[in-house]
Amino acid sequence: MSTKSNRQVWFALNADNSYTVALFNLGQTDADMTVNFADLGLNGAAKVRDLWARKDVGTYASSYTASQVPIHGARLFKVTPQKNSAISVNDDDLRVTYDGAWQRNNNYEVPAVSQALTVGVTDSKTAAAKTLDLPTRTVQVNNNDPGIVYTGNWNYSSGRGLGDYQDDVQWTETNGDAFSYQFVGTGVDYVTETDPGQGDVDIYIDGQLKQTVSTYLDPSQGHNKPQQVVYSVSDLPNGSHTIRAVKKSGQFMLLDKLNIRQESLLNPDTAAFDKNAPADVNVTLGRDPGELDGIANAGKDLVKGTDYTVNGNVVTIGKAYLATLPVGNAALDVRFRGDYRDDIHATKDDGASVSLTFTGTRVDWSTALAPDQGDADVYVDGKLVQRVNLHNDVRVTNRTVFSATGLKNGQHVLKIVKVNGDVLRNDAIRYTIAK
């Protein structure tokens, strides 16, 4: 399910290996909407059927685009994987069965995340080198960011000339209207304006009401006071969180921006490079180097082994690559992998189990390795096949710890049982459809 924009894709994996996919256009115009099969957990081709039109629309290699989904409209499809396709089943899929006391996430998860390594590029041969104004680890999310989900009757205003961040705001006049935003970090600020026409807003963090804040401004103090932090929290566990704000009273409620505070994964997270005196840039990673997913500049990946190298926890950006960058600030996007779909289920109870019934010829179990984990027993069709050790000196994500191949084409049951250790995490189960 994707709920990070006003054009949402919801899906469910069925027992016959097909997916039911619903498209919802919550935007302000008709729009083409694309279903990427990888986002469903499908690696392979699939046949697509329009359920409302009652007709097959074709077989597609990796995605399907529905044309002109109407404003506030929906479309419904059946996506059927073809032979040799692989299906990844997330830990919170309805087909996954848990026995015992399990919790979703509870700060046992590690989401995928990226951080900018900002390189200030100068050329002292043609201009005096100077210290550039480099960003901090606080990420500013503007009110029109596609990741913010608005519910209700929201409006957009720009060019107000009142000092708004990026000179725009989102606003509503209806009590009960809300916005929500999922982020990775340790803190968040809700930034809005205060005004005599505004009132109270309920703030929720991860589904829990934390505070009712006032955005009211006494008329004696003026009107439209911009960029006011009316709610702030900084002590969240480092991980995935959701802020939700709901209009409670007053004529207006506004959102200007959100400030997201994130734990630094790079030391340092800024560097300088002089084209007239070129030198490599070294950065120490704050996570296991095996979690490094790649480095990109303006959406184009750097080539590992050529543009950059990794030695232990140190990443070296080569001077030959840096010399190709223009003078100014270059933000290199350093990506780290996380748990599949950024979530897991976890249990502390020995004997607790998780199982999946599937039809296929191969099955793989992927999960985290961590210092707080121990052994788990893996059963296929009721028979103990392997005891796997999940202990590791550092927390790493999405590792394939068990595989069973050459299964008879038919229905099978994979069952995983916690043996020891402080916690057992379940992340993803992948199986392959028969030829």
Side-chain angles (χ1 to χ4, degrees):
M1 175 180 71
S2 172
T3 58
K4 294 184 178 180
S5 75
N6 288 328
R7 296 186 175 97
Q8 299 182 6
V9 178
W10 292 58
F11 66 91
L13 175 60
N14 303 313
D16 65 354
N17 295 331
S18 70
Y19 295 87
T20 301
V21 180
L23 307 181
F24 297 94
N25 181 8
L26 306 181
Q28 300 302 310
T29 61
D30 293 355
D32 294 348
M33 295 184 62
T34 297
V35 180
N36 292 307
F37 297 163
D39 294 339
L40 307 180
L42 171 61
N43 181 12
K47 182 173 70 175
V48 179
R49 181 175 178 82
D50 188 323
L51 293 177
W52 288 344
R54 298 182 180 179
K55 66 177 182 179
D56 295 333
V57 296
T59 298
Y60 300 85
S62 59
S63 66
Y64 169 72
T65 299
S67 61
Q68 294 298 295
V69 180
I71 301 170
H72 299 300
R75 302 278 293 276
L76 189 67
F77 299 91
K78 181 178 181 180
V79 176
T80 303
Q82 299 301 284
K83 293 179 179 179
N84 299 319
S85 296
I87 293 175
S88 295
V89 183
N90 194 35
D91 60 276
D92 58 2
D93 193 280
L94 294 176
R95 287 180 54 191
V96 179
T97 302
Y98 291 96
D99 182 39
W102 290 79
Q103 289 184 307
R104 183 178 183 271
N105 292 336
N106 199 31
N107 296 317
Y108 285 116
E109 81 281 8
V110 173
V113 68
S114 64
Q115 180 172 340
L117 169 64
T118 306
V119 182
V121 180
T122 59
D123 189 346
S124 59
K125 185 176 182 180
T126 58
K130 62 180 181 179
T131 302
L132 300 178
D133 184 16
L134 301 176
T136 65
R137 190 54 181 147
T138 297
V139 178
Q140 300 180 91
V141 179
N142 193 37
N143 53 272
N144 63 355
D145 188 280
I148 300 175
V149 177
Y150 292 95
T151 54
N153 302 302
W154 286 82
N155 303 279
Y156 174 78
S157 293
S158 62
R160 302 198 313 159
L162 298 174
D164 304 319
Y165 178 69
Q166 296 189 6
D167 201 22
D168 64 352
V169 295
Q170 227 89 9
W171 58 275
T172 182
E173 296 182 276
T174 306
N175 289 343
D177 282 3
F179 72 82
S180 63
Y181 182 71
Q182 185 177 12
F183 64 94
V184 174
T186 59
V188 59
D189 299 332
Y190 166 36
V191 183
T192 183
E193 72 169 22
T194 53
D195 184 81
Q198 295 183 200
D200 290 341
V201 177
D202 286 338
I203 304 294
Y204 296 79
I205 299 293
D206 299 334
Q208 294 187 349
L209 177 63
K210 293 297 183 180
Q211 187 177 339
T212 299
V213 299
S214 175
T215 62
Y216 173 78
L217 180 68
D218 190 287
S220 65
Q221 299 181 33
H223 294 265
N224 304 109
K225 194 172 181 181
Q227 296 203 43
Q228 300 300 300
V229 177
V230 295
Y231 176 79
S232 181
V233 61
S234 296
D235 57 355
L236 300 174
N238 186 37
S240 180
H241 302 281
T242 300
I243 181 173
R244 182 169 182 262
V246 183
K247 184 178 184 300
K248 189 173 183 180
S249 64
Q251 184 178 357
F252 299 101
M253 171 185 169
L254 277 76
L255 172 61
D256 191 1
K257 68 172 178 176
L258 299 169
N259 294 327
I260 308 299
R261 283 176 290 282
Q262 297 179 332
E263 186 177 77
S264 182
L265 300 172
L266 307 175
N267 183 25
D269 59 4
T270 62
F273 178 79
D274 184 356
K275 288 175 175 284
N276 192 44
D280 296 340
V281 166
N282 294 317
V283 178
T284 301
L285 302 179
R287 282 177 63 177
D288 185 272
E291 298 290 272
L292 180 65
D293 190 45
I295 303 174
N297 181 19
K300 183 178 180 181
D301 279 345
L302 279 64
V303 179
K304 185 178 180 180
T306 302
D307 299 330
Y308 72 96
T309 59
V310 182
N311 184 9
N313 276 57
V314 177
V315 172
T316 299
I317 313 294
K319 59 186 178 183
Y321 172 78
L322 295 170
T324 67
L325 301 176
V327 170
N329 278 5
L332 305 183
D333 185 43
V334 183
R335 305 188 307 271
F336 295 88
R337 64 194 291 179
D339 299 314
Y340 182 63
R341 301 201 188 283
D342 294 341
D343 68 350
I344 53 93
H345 269 66
T347 182
K348 297 177 72 69
D349 293 349
D350 292 349
S353 65
V354 54
S355 60
L356 172 73
T357 300
F358 67 96
T359 299
T361 57
R362 172 179 179 145
V363 65
D364 301 280
W365 177 39
S366 296
T367 190
L369 305 178
D372 57 359
Q373 297 194 156
D375 296 323
D377 283 341
V378 182
Y379 295 79
V380 176
D381 299 332
K383 298 177 66 173
L384 176 61
V385 177
Q386 185 179 341
R387 174 166 290 187
V388 296
N389 181 265
L390 305 172
H391 181 84
N392 199 55
D393 290 340
V394 296
R395 170 80 153 85
V396 293
T397 62
N398 209 352
R399 299 301 200 264
T400 300
V401 297
F402 172 80
S403 296
T405 61
L407 301 176
K408 183 179 179 180
N409 186 18
Q411 189 176 89
H412 302 280
V413 178
L414 177 74
K415 183 177 181 180
I416 301 153
V417 181
K418 182 178 183 294
V419 177
N420 53 42
D422 182 54
V423 65
L424 170 66
R425 294 171 176 86
N426 177 47
D427 190 9
I429 299 170
R430 299 176 176 90
Y431 64 92
T432 303
I433 298 173
K435 296 181 180 180

Short mmCIF file of all heavy atoms in Angstrom, two decimals, residues 1-5 7-13 19-24 35-41 90 92-93 104 149 182 242 340-343:
data_model
loop_
_atom_site.label_atom_id
_atom_site.label_comp_id
_atom_site.label_asym_id
_atom_site.label_seq_id
_atom_site.Cartn_x
_atom_site.Cartn_y
_atom_site.Cartn_z
N MET A 1 0.85 -1.18 0.00
CA MET A 1 0.00 0.00 0.00
C MET A 1 0.88 1.24 0.00
O MET A 1 1.82 1.35 0.78
CB MET A 1 -0.90 0.01 1.24
CG MET A 1 -1.74 1.27 1.39
SD MET A 1 -2.76 1.23 2.87
CE MET A 1 -1.53 1.41 4.15
N SER A 2 0.59 2.21 -0.88
CA SER A 2 1.29 3.49 -0.90
C SER A 2 0.32 4.58 -0.52
O SER A 2 -0.69 4.79 -1.20
CB SER A 2 1.88 3.76 -2.29
OG SER A 2 2.39 5.08 -2.35
N THR A 3 0.57 5.28 0.58
CA THR A 3 -0.31 6.37 1.02
C THR A 3 0.48 7.67 1.15
O THR A 3 0.06 8.58 1.85
CB THR A 3 -0.96 6.04 2.37
OG1 THR A 3 0.07 5.80 3.35
CG2 THR A 3 -1.84 4.81 2.26
N LYS A 4 1.61 7.75 0.47
CA LYS A 4 2.48 8.92 0.63
C LYS A 4 2.19 10.01 -0.39
O LYS A 4 2.94 10.97 -0.49
CB LYS A 4 3.95 8.47 0.54
CG LYS A 4 4.38 7.57 1.69
CD LYS A 4 5.86 7.23 1.61
CE LYS A 4 6.28 6.36 2.79
NZ LYS A 4 7.72 6.03 2.75
N SER A 5 1.13 9.89 -1.16
CA SER A 5 0.76 10.94 -2.09
C SER A 5 -0.75 10.92 -2.25
O SER A 5 -1.45 10.07 -1.67
CB SER A 5 1.44 10.72 -3.44
OG SER A 5 0.82 9.67 -4.15
N ARG A 7 -2.19 10.18 -4.95
CA ARG A 7 -2.52 9.12 -5.91
C ARG A 7 -2.01 7.82 -5.32
O ARG A 7 -0.82 7.54 -5.33
CB ARG A 7 -1.93 9.43 -7.28
CG ARG A 7 -2.55 10.70 -7.88
CD ARG A 7 -2.12 10.99 -9.28
NE ARG A 7 -2.87 12.13 -9.79
CZ ARG A 7 -2.41 13.39 -9.79
NH1 ARG A 7 -1.20 13.64 -9.34
NH2 ARG A 7 -3.15 14.37 -10.24
N GLN A 8 -2.94 7.04 -4.77
CA GLN A 8 -2.58 5.94 -3.90
C GLN A 8 -2.86 4.59 -4.55
O GLN A 8 -3.84 4.42 -5.27
CB GLN A 8 -3.35 6.04 -2.58
CG GLN A 8 -3.04 7.33 -1.82
CD GLN A 8 -3.76 7.41 -0.49
OE1 GLN A 8 -4.43 6.46 -0.06
NE2 GLN A 8 -3.63 8.54 0.18
N VAL A 9 -1.95 3.64 -4.27
CA VAL A 9 -2.08 2.27 -4.75
C VAL A 9 -2.24 1.36 -3.53
O VAL A 9 -1.36 1.31 -2.68
CB VAL A 9 -0.84 1.85 -5.57
CG1 VAL A 9 -0.98 0.40 -6.03
CG2 VAL A 9 -0.62 2.79 -6.76
N TRP A 10 -3.35 0.67 -3.47
CA TRP A 10 -3.61 -0.29 -2.40
C TRP A 10 -3.66 -1.69 -3.03
O TRP A 10 -4.18 -1.86 -4.14
CB TRP A 10 -4.95 -0.01 -1.70
CG TRP A 10 -4.97 1.26 -0.91
CD1 TRP A 10 -4.72 2.53 -1.37
CD2 TRP A 10 -5.27 1.40 0.48
NE1 TRP A 10 -4.86 3.45 -0.36
CE2 TRP A 10 -5.19 2.79 0.79
CE3 TRP A 10 -5.61 0.51 1.48
CZ2 TRP A 10 -5.43 3.27 2.07
CZ3 TRP A 10 -5.86 0.99 2.75
CH2 TRP A 10 -5.76 2.36 3.04
N PHE A 11 -3.13 -2.68 -2.32
CA PHE A 11 -3.12 -4.02 -2.89
C PHE A 11 -3.19 -5.08 -1.80
O PHE A 11 -2.86 -4.83 -0.64
CB PHE A 11 -1.87 -4.24 -3.76
CG PHE A 11 -0.57 -4.23 -2.99
CD1 PHE A 11 -0.04 -5.41 -2.49
CD2 PHE A 11 0.12 -3.05 -2.78
CE1 PHE A 11 1.15 -5.41 -1.79
CE2 PHE A 11 1.31 -3.04 -2.09
CZ PHE A 11 1.83 -4.22 -1.59
N ALA A 12 -3.62 -6.28 -2.23
CA ALA A 12 -3.66 -7.43 -1.33
C ALA A 12 -3.20 -8.65 -2.12
O ALA A 12 -3.58 -8.83 -3.28
CB ALA A 12 -5.06 -7.65 -0.78
N LEU A 13 -2.36 -9.48 -1.49
CA LEU A 13 -1.89 -10.72 -2.09
C LEU A 13 -2.88 -11.82 -1.74
O LEU A 13 -3.14 -12.09 -0.57
CB LEU A 13 -0.50 -11.06 -1.57
CG LEU A 13 0.09 -12.41 -2.00
CD1 LEU A 13 0.22 -12.49 -3.52
CD2 LEU A 13 1.45 -12.63 -1.33
N TYR A 19 -2.79 -10.74 -7.17
CA TYR A 19 -2.94 -9.52 -6.37
C TYR A 19 -4.23 -8.81 -6.78
O TYR A 19 -4.54 -8.71 -7.97
CB TYR A 19 -1.79 -8.54 -6.60
CG TYR A 19 -0.43 -9.01 -6.15
CD1 TYR A 19 0.37 -9.76 -6.99
CD2 TYR A 19 0.07 -8.67 -4.89
CE1 TYR A 19 1.63 -10.18 -6.60
CE2 TYR A 19 1.33 -9.08 -4.49
CZ TYR A 19 2.11 -9.83 -5.34
OH TYR A 19 3.36 -10.24 -4.95
N THR A 20 -4.96 -8.31 -5.80
CA THR A 20 -6.04 -7.37 -6.05
C THR A 20 -5.48 -5.97 -5.82
O THR A 20 -4.97 -5.67 -4.74
CB THR A 20 -7.24 -7.62 -5.14
OG1 THR A 20 -7.72 -8.96 -5.34
CG2 THR A 20 -8.36 -6.64 -5.44
N VAL A 21 -5.57 -5.11 -6.84
CA VAL A 21 -4.94 -3.79 -6.81
C VAL A 21 -6.00 -2.73 -7.02
O VAL A 21 -6.74 -2.76 -8.01
CB VAL A 21 -3.84 -3.66 -7.88
CG1 VAL A 21 -3.21 -2.28 -7.82
CG2 VAL A 21 -2.78 -4.74 -7.68
N ALA A 22 -6.07 -1.77 -6.10
CA ALA A 22 -7.01 -0.64 -6.22
C ALA A 22 -6.21 0.65 -6.36
O ALA A 22 -5.25 0.88 -5.62
CB ALA A 22 -7.91 -0.57 -4.99
N LEU A 23 -6.62 1.48 -7.31
CA LEU A 23 -6.00 2.78 -7.53
C LEU A 23 -6.98 3.86 -7.10
O LEU A 23 -8.15 3.85 -7.53
CB LEU A 23 -5.63 2.96 -9.00
CG LEU A 23 -4.79 1.87 -9.65
CD1 LEU A 23 -4.49 2.23 -11.10
CD2 LEU A 23 -3.49 1.65 -8.89
N PHE A 24 -6.52 4.80 -6.29
CA PHE A 24 -7.35 5.90 -5.82
C PHE A 24 -6.69 7.23 -6.20
O PHE A 24 -5.56 7.50 -5.79
CB PHE A 24 -7.54 5.85 -4.30
CG PHE A 24 -8.27 4.62 -3.82
CD1 PHE A 24 -7.56 3.51 -3.40
CD2 PHE A 24 -9.65 4.59 -3.78
CE1 PHE A 24 -8.22 2.37 -2.95
CE2 PHE A 24 -10.32 3.45 -3.34
CZ PHE A 24 -9.60 2.34 -2.92
N VAL A 35 1.13 1.03 -11.75
CA VAL A 35 1.37 -0.01 -10.75
C VAL A 35 2.71 -0.66 -11.10
O VAL A 35 2.83 -1.34 -12.13
CB VAL A 35 0.26 -1.08 -10.77
CG1 VAL A 35 0.54 -2.15 -9.72
CG2 VAL A 35 -1.09 -0.44 -10.54
N ASN A 36 3.72 -0.43 -10.28
CA ASN A 36 5.00 -1.10 -10.45
C ASN A 36 4.94 -2.44 -9.74
O ASN A 36 4.69 -2.50 -8.53
CB ASN A 36 6.14 -0.24 -9.89
CG ASN A 36 6.36 1.01 -10.70
OD1 ASN A 36 6.52 0.96 -11.91
ND2 ASN A 36 6.36 2.16 -10.03
N PHE A 37 5.15 -3.53 -10.48
CA PHE A 37 5.02 -4.85 -9.89
C PHE A 37 5.98 -5.05 -8.72
O PHE A 37 5.66 -5.73 -7.75
CB PHE A 37 5.24 -5.92 -10.95
CG PHE A 37 4.23 -5.91 -12.07
CD1 PHE A 37 4.48 -6.57 -13.26
CD2 PHE A 37 3.02 -5.24 -11.92
CE1 PHE A 37 3.54 -6.57 -14.29
CE2 PHE A 37 2.08 -5.23 -12.94
CZ PHE A 37 2.34 -5.89 -14.14
N ALA A 38 7.16 -4.45 -8.80
CA ALA A 38 8.13 -4.59 -7.70
C ALA A 38 7.57 -4.01 -6.41
O ALA A 38 7.87 -4.50 -5.31
CB ALA A 38 9.44 -3.90 -8.06
N ASP A 39 6.74 -2.95 -6.51
CA ASP A 39 6.14 -2.37 -5.31
C ASP A 39 5.13 -3.31 -4.67
O ASP A 39 4.84 -3.20 -3.48
CB ASP A 39 5.47 -1.03 -5.65
CG ASP A 39 6.46 0.04 -6.06
OD1 ASP A 39 7.66 -0.11 -5.72
OD2 ASP A 39 6.05 1.00 -6.73
N LEU A 40 4.58 -4.22 -5.46
CA LEU A 40 3.66 -5.21 -4.92
C LEU A 40 4.40 -6.35 -4.23
O LEU A 40 3.80 -7.11 -3.46
CB LEU A 40 2.78 -5.80 -6.03
CG LEU A 40 2.01 -4.84 -6.93
CD1 LEU A 40 1.20 -5.63 -7.95
CD2 LEU A 40 1.12 -3.94 -6.11
N GLY A 41 5.70 -6.49 -4.55
CA GLY A 41 6.47 -7.62 -4.08
C GLY A 41 6.63 -8.68 -5.15
O GLY A 41 7.02 -9.81 -4.86
N ASN A 90 5.52 -9.61 2.71
CA ASN A 90 5.97 -8.79 3.83
C ASN A 90 5.47 -9.37 5.16
O ASN A 90 4.50 -10.12 5.20
CB ASN A 90 5.46 -7.36 3.66
CG ASN A 90 6.16 -6.39 4.59
OD1 ASN A 90 7.35 -6.54 4.86
ND2 ASN A 90 5.44 -5.40 5.07
N ASP A 92 3.76 -8.13 7.48
CA ASP A 92 2.41 -7.80 7.93
C ASP A 92 1.34 -8.18 6.91
O ASP A 92 0.20 -7.74 7.02
CB ASP A 92 2.31 -6.31 8.28
CG ASP A 92 2.67 -5.40 7.12
OD1 ASP A 92 2.97 -5.91 6.03
OD2 ASP A 92 2.65 -4.17 7.33
N ASP A 93 1.70 -9.01 5.94
CA ASP A 93 0.72 -9.49 4.97
C ASP A 93 -0.33 -10.35 5.67
O ASP A 93 -0.02 -11.10 6.62
CB ASP A 93 1.41 -10.29 3.87
CG ASP A 93 0.50 -10.55 2.68
OD1 ASP A 93 -0.33 -11.49 2.78
OD2 ASP A 93 0.61 -9.83 1.69
N ARG A 104 4.34 -5.43 15.85
CA ARG A 104 4.85 -4.82 14.63
C ARG A 104 5.76 -3.65 15.00
O ARG A 104 5.36 -2.73 15.70
CB ARG A 104 3.69 -4.35 13.74
CG ARG A 104 4.14 -3.77 12.40
CD ARG A 104 2.94 -3.37 11.56
NE ARG A 104 3.34 -2.88 10.25
CZ ARG A 104 3.62 -1.62 9.96
NH1 ARG A 104 3.56 -0.70 10.91
NH2 ARG A 104 3.98 -1.27 8.74
N VAL A 149 0.19 13.63 3.18
CA VAL A 149 -1.16 13.18 2.79
C VAL A 149 -2.18 14.08 3.48
O VAL A 149 -2.23 14.17 4.72
CB VAL A 149 -1.39 11.71 3.18
CG1 VAL A 149 -2.81 11.29 2.84
CG2 VAL A 149 -0.38 10.81 2.47
N GLN A 182 4.80 10.51 7.05
CA GLN A 182 5.67 9.48 7.61
C GLN A 182 7.11 9.86 7.35
O GLN A 182 7.47 10.23 6.23
CB GLN A 182 5.36 8.12 6.98
CG GLN A 182 6.16 6.97 7.59
CD GLN A 182 5.78 5.62 7.01
OE1 GLN A 182 5.09 5.54 6.00
NE2 GLN A 182 6.24 4.55 7.63
N THR A 242 5.21 8.66 12.30
CA THR A 242 4.20 9.41 11.56
C THR A 242 3.67 10.53 12.44
O THR A 242 3.28 10.29 13.59
CB THR A 242 3.03 8.51 11.13
OG1 THR A 242 3.52 7.47 10.29
CG2 THR A 242 1.98 9.31 10.38
N TYR A 340 12.76 -4.91 4.75
CA TYR A 340 11.84 -4.91 3.62
C TYR A 340 10.59 -4.12 3.97
O TYR A 340 9.96 -4.36 5.01
CB TYR A 340 11.48 -6.36 3.26
CG TYR A 340 10.58 -6.50 2.06
CD1 TYR A 340 11.00 -6.08 0.81
CD2 TYR A 340 9.32 -7.07 2.19
CE1 TYR A 340 10.18 -6.22 -0.30
CE2 TYR A 340 8.49 -7.22 1.09
CZ TYR A 340 8.93 -6.78 -0.16
OH TYR A 340 8.11 -6.93 -1.25
N ARG A 341 10.28 -3.15 3.14
CA ARG A 341 9.16 -2.22 3.36
C ARG A 341 9.30 -1.46 4.68
O ARG A 341 8.31 -0.94 5.23
CB ARG A 341 7.81 -2.91 3.27
CG ARG A 341 7.54 -3.59 1.94
CD ARG A 341 6.06 -3.81 1.72
NE ARG A 341 5.77 -4.61 0.55
CZ ARG A 341 5.81 -4.19 -0.71
NH1 ARG A 341 6.16 -2.93 -0.95
NH2 ARG A 341 5.52 -4.99 -1.71
N ASP A 342 10.51 -1.40 5.23
CA ASP A 342 10.82 -0.60 6.42
C ASP A 342 10.09 -1.05 7.68
O ASP A 342 9.91 -0.27 8.61
CB ASP A 342 10.50 0.89 6.17
CG ASP A 342 11.40 1.51 5.11
OD1 ASP A 342 12.47 0.93 4.84
OD2 ASP A 342 11.05 2.58 4.57
N ASP A 343 9.66 -2.32 7.72
CA ASP A 343 8.98 -2.77 8.94
C ASP A 343 9.28 -4.24 9.18
O ASP A 343 9.75 -4.97 8.31
CB ASP A 343 7.47 -2.52 8.85
CG ASP A 343 6.78 -3.39 7.80
OD1 ASP A 343 7.48 -4.05 7.01
OD2 ASP A 343 5.54 -3.39 7.76
#
